[in-house]
Amino acid sequence: MTDNRQSDQWAAGRIAFVTGATSGFGAAFARRIARAGGKVIATGRRVERLESLAAEFSPGSVLIRPLDLGDTSAIKGVVEELPEAFAAIDLLFNNAGLALGLGKAPDASLADWDEMIATNIRALVHVTHAILPGMVARNRGHIVNLSSVAASYPYPGGNVYGATKAFVRQFSLNLRADLLGSAVKVSSVEPGMCETEFSQVRFKGDNKAAEAVYAGMRPLSADDVTDAVEALLRLPDHLNVNTIELMPVQQAFSPFAVSRDS
């Protein structure tokens, strides 16, 4: 067993498969691994962003694979057709996900609900199912699933988004139960308010609405969350962090809401 807590080589020799590597947490994590000496399989829909990411590093560090997670039939093929140098994946960062809209349930778009379920749940389990058997066979690996504080704390308009992230959290814990006896780790990372493209996607390009979410406070950054993920990956092999929850100092929990008759 290795204790890599103090090692600057914590990523050396590791191969990370990253979903949603074109922006936000995914791009930050991909860069962090590659800079620390690991290899990255960077996936996402925006090819030009993947190419720009790969161009930052020496050949052989970042392998790009355009992938639309809405096409679950393509996921297995991408994993099975990896070149030998990238095939032994031992880090999976299930990052791709989205929130759409902030309307309350009676007024919400069913199409938005379907897309959140397809991306945040269905795609995540398909990617995991494609990669996990190889980790178990090699008895080495760490699955890091990106959940959210919305998995634990409901808020108006968070209906299906929060439910999908609660699934991610519970799925992570159930994976740990199934993997008992192997050396494969699973962690659910649950950030609070973080300024990435998240709100731009939620409000479908309405930059004014997106900026208003973070007005007057300092949210987390993608690098802040990546710092937390790196800390997990630096831990010794015998230690698994099941869940890690982080918020900006200027965010906390709402009091119970009560509807009172006048």
Side-chain angles (χ1 to χ4, degrees):
M1 298 261 179
T2 357
D3 187 334
N4 53 348
R5 276 176 282 205
Q6 304 303 321
S7 174
D8 289 332
Q9 303 299 313
W10 61 274
R14 308 192 80 168
I15 300 172
F17 189 100
V18 183
T19 66
T22 58
S23 65
F25 304 135
F29 181 74
R31 288 186 173 94
R32 187 74 59 94
I33 292 289
R35 287 172 184 154
K39 293 181 179 180
V40 177
I41 303 146
T43 72
R45 290 183 297 178
R46 291 174 285 189
V47 178
E48 70 286 351
R49 290 199 181 188
L50 293 176
E51 290 173 343
S52 178
L53 173 67
E56 297 177 23
F57 300 96
S58 59
S61 295
V62 178
L63 177 71
I64 64 172
R65 285 294 183 265
L67 180 61
D68 181 352
L69 291 174
D71 180 9
T72 51
S73 62
I75 293 170
K76 189 175 181 182
V78 166
V79 174
E80 289 181 343
E81 293 165 15
L82 290 171
E84 186 176 352
F86 285 85
I89 298 164
D90 63 348
L91 293 176
L92 169 57
F93 189 38
N94 268 323
N95 159 73
L98 76 167
L100 293 172
L102 202 55
K104 293 188 181 180
D107 307 313
S109 161
L110 187 58
D112 285 351
W113 282 8
D114 282 339
E115 188 172 352
M116 286 186 279
I117 291 166
T119 305
N120 300 357
I121 296 178
R122 189 164 183 257
L124 181 143
V125 300
H126 275 256
V127 172
T128 304
H129 193 267
I131 291 173
L132 182 57
M135 289 185 174
V136 173
R138 292 184 292 273
N139 200 33
R140 172 181 169 82
H142 197 155
I143 297 171
V144 179
N145 291 327
L146 190 72
S147 181
S148 166
V149 294
S152 301
Y153 311 111
Y155 58 87
N159 39 67
V160 166
Y161 173 71
T164 63
K165 291 305 184 177
F167 174 91
V168 172
R169 185 179 202 270
Q170 192 64 30
F171 180 60
S172 302
L173 294 173
N174 283 333
L175 284 176
R176 281 288 304 133
D178 285 349
L179 291 168
L180 185 65
S182 84
V184 180
K185 300 183 181 185
V186 185
S187 302
S188 173
V189 176
E190 303 169 7
M193 295 174 72
C194 185
E195 191 167 12
T196 61
E197 293 180 7
F198 176 86
S199 288
Q200 290 175 334
V201 171
R202 165 166 259 170
F203 295 112
K204 301 183 179 179
D206 185 339
N207 290 332
K208 189 173 181 181
E211 289 169 4
V213 173
Y214 312 108
M217 58 90 66
R218 181 178 178 179
L220 302 176
S221 69
D223 279 331
D224 291 333
V225 175
T226 303
D227 286 343
V229 177
E230 178 181 330
L232 296 180
L233 299 178
R234 284 178 173 271
L235 293 172
D237 293 340
H238 72 281
L239 199 165
N240 187 90
V241 173
N242 297 328
T243 61
I244 181 169
E245 180 183 293
L246 53 156
M247 286 181 171
V249 171
Q250 288 174 283
Q251 181 184 19
F253 320 102
S254 297
F256 284 117
V258 179
S259 174
R260 302 183 191 277
D261 294 330
S262 55

